[in-house]
Amino acid sequence: NIIVKHSSHSTYRKYILLIYTMEEPLDLIRLSIDERVYVKCRNDRELRGKLHAYDQHLNMVLGDVEETVTTHEIDEETDEEIVKKATRSVGMLFVRGDVVVLVSPPLRTG
């Protein structure tokens, strides 16, 4: 038995759709259209935004994006690693599929 908690009728319908129409890996991405997704990219870059479009190469168009870039430096005096995070907001962003490492659909909690 599958128990689905939902906070709205729309979310519940997406769960049911997910359960019965999942045939290919990109189906999970398809079901995330117009939802906020998390995209992990190469070079310690992370994106969170609303998925507007994608293709079979995982090229994506994201809206209302928060981009976080993590950099690692070594302090020459102490030899300690310094981790810096820079964040920016972007209204609309095209993401080339060959930089995508992971796409996570929105967290569906009820």
Side-chain angles (χ1 to χ4, degrees):
N1 290 344
I2 298 174
I3 299 172
V4 178
K5 289 186 175 183
H6 62 280
S7 58
S8 72
H9 185 68
S10 174
T11 302
Y12 177 74
R13 287 181 47 208
K14 283 197 175 194
Y15 269 122
I16 298 303
L17 190 59
L18 176 65
I19 292 167
Y20 291 105
T21 64
M22 210 44 173
E23 295 176 8
E24 298 181 16
L26 288 180
D27 289 345
L28 187 61
I29 307 297
R30 178 177 50 84
L31 294 171
S32 297
I33 288 287
D34 292 327
E35 300 276 355
R36 290 192 63 78
V37 293
Y38 167 77
V39 181
K40 182 170 178 57
C41 301
R42 292 183 188 179
N43 299 321
D44 290 321
R45 183 175 172 212
E46 299 176 354
L47 307 168
R48 286 177 175 79
K50 185 175 181 179
L51 180 64
H52 290 287
Y54 73 97
D55 66 14
Q56 72 273 17
H57 305 289
L58 280 185
N59 295 317
M60 290 181 262
V61 176
L62 299 176
D64 299 321
V65 182
E66 180 182 286
E67 175 186 34
T68 303
V69 178
T70 304
T71 57
H72 303 267
E73 300 173 2
I74 301 295
D75 185 314
E76 293 180 13
E77 293 178 10
T78 64
D79 245 8
E80 292 181 1
E81 182 180 33
I82 300 169
V83 178
K84 295 181 181 178
K85 290 187 182 253
T87 303
R88 70 176 181 143
S89 294
V90 182
M92 192 69 70
L93 187 66
F94 174 84
V95 181
R96 187 176 158 125
D98 64 353
V99 303
V100 174
V101 174
L102 174 143
V103 179
S104 176
L107 182 60
R108 302 185 201 286
T109 59

